Each structure stands twice: as C-alpha cells, then as structure tokens.
C-alpha cells in the first residue's frame, strides 16, 4: 500500500510539471536545460543520501516538496488575475477530470 501512495504522489508531481510546462514554463531552452539537469543532480544527490540514511533522504525529499508547494502558491498569487483569464491547459483538464487522479 505504501508503494501505491508513493506512486500516486509521483504521478501527481508529474502532472503538476506538465501543467506548468503547458502554461509556458518550457518555452525557453535555458529553463528546460536547467530543469532537466537540476532534476538529474537532485536524483544523484538524493540516492547518495539514501545510501547513508534512508530516513534522512525521505525527510529531505519532503522538504523539497514543501518548497515546491510554496513556490506553486507564490506563482498563483503573483499571476492570479492572468490565470483567471486563461482557459485551463488540456493537461490539467485531463488530470483533474480523469478517472485515475489519485490512482486509488
């Protein structure tokens, strides 16, 4: 059951990334380059931390997720009026109206 929860969390994160890209977050090559390389760097570092302490690696991952939630909130607050005028990206509609939103 724990694996299902973790998979659902990862799937949710992928959907959020797809939505941010659909809103224009993937327009600049430097943003894509930095995003992909930062993700790879994060994966390598997190795996090394996990070899030393799995619980610390999990807690560190949670801290990163909390930061992401704050960042999403800041993005919405800073762009609230603009976002209200835009139609939802198809990725968001597919995810939030889909049958497997939480995969449970």
């Amino acid at each position: 059951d724990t694996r299902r929860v973790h998979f659902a969390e990862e799937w949710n994160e992928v959907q959020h990334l797809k939505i941010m890209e659909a809103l224009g977050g993937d327009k600049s090559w430097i943003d894509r380059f930095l995003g992909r390389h930062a993700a790879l760097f994060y994966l390598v570092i997190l795996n090394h931390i996990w070899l030393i302490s799995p619980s610390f690696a999990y807690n560190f991952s949670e801290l990163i997720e909390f930061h992401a939630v704050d960042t999403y909130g800041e993005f919405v607050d800073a762009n609230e009026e603009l976002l209200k005028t835009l139609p939802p990206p198809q990725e968001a509609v597919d995810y939030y109206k889909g049958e497997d939103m939480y995969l449970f």
Side-chain angles (χ1 to χ4, degrees), residues 7-94:
F7 180 77
E9 290 171 348
E10 290 298 321
W11 185 250
N12 181 266
E13 185 63 28
V14 167
Q15 301 313 308
H16 286 145
L17 292 173
K18 288 171 60 177
I19 291 167
M20 294 300 283
E21 286 177 350
L23 290 170
D26 67 343
K27 297 291 185 238
S28 171
W29 75 268
I30 191 71
D31 290 339
R32 292 189 307 272
F33 177 86
L34 291 174
R36 288 182 180 138
H37 287 82
L40 182 60
F41 178 75
Y42 171 71
L43 177 67
V44 169
I45 294 300
L46 194 61
N47 279 305
H48 281 85
I49 293 171
W50 185 85
L51 291 171
I52 298 166
S53 172
S55 63
F56 183 75
Y58 186 81
N59 290 335
F60 181 71
S61 183
E62 278 189 323
L63 288 174
I64 297 294
E65 184 61 28
F66 292 145
H67 175 69
V69 169
D70 291 341
T71 303
Y72 293 146
E74 290 173 10
F75 174 81
V76 169
D77 292 343
N79 298 286
E80 184 174 5
E81 294 305 316
L82 173 64
L83 291 170
K84 286 180 179 179
T85 66
L86 299 174
Q90 189 59 46
E91 290 81 357
V93 173
D94 293 345

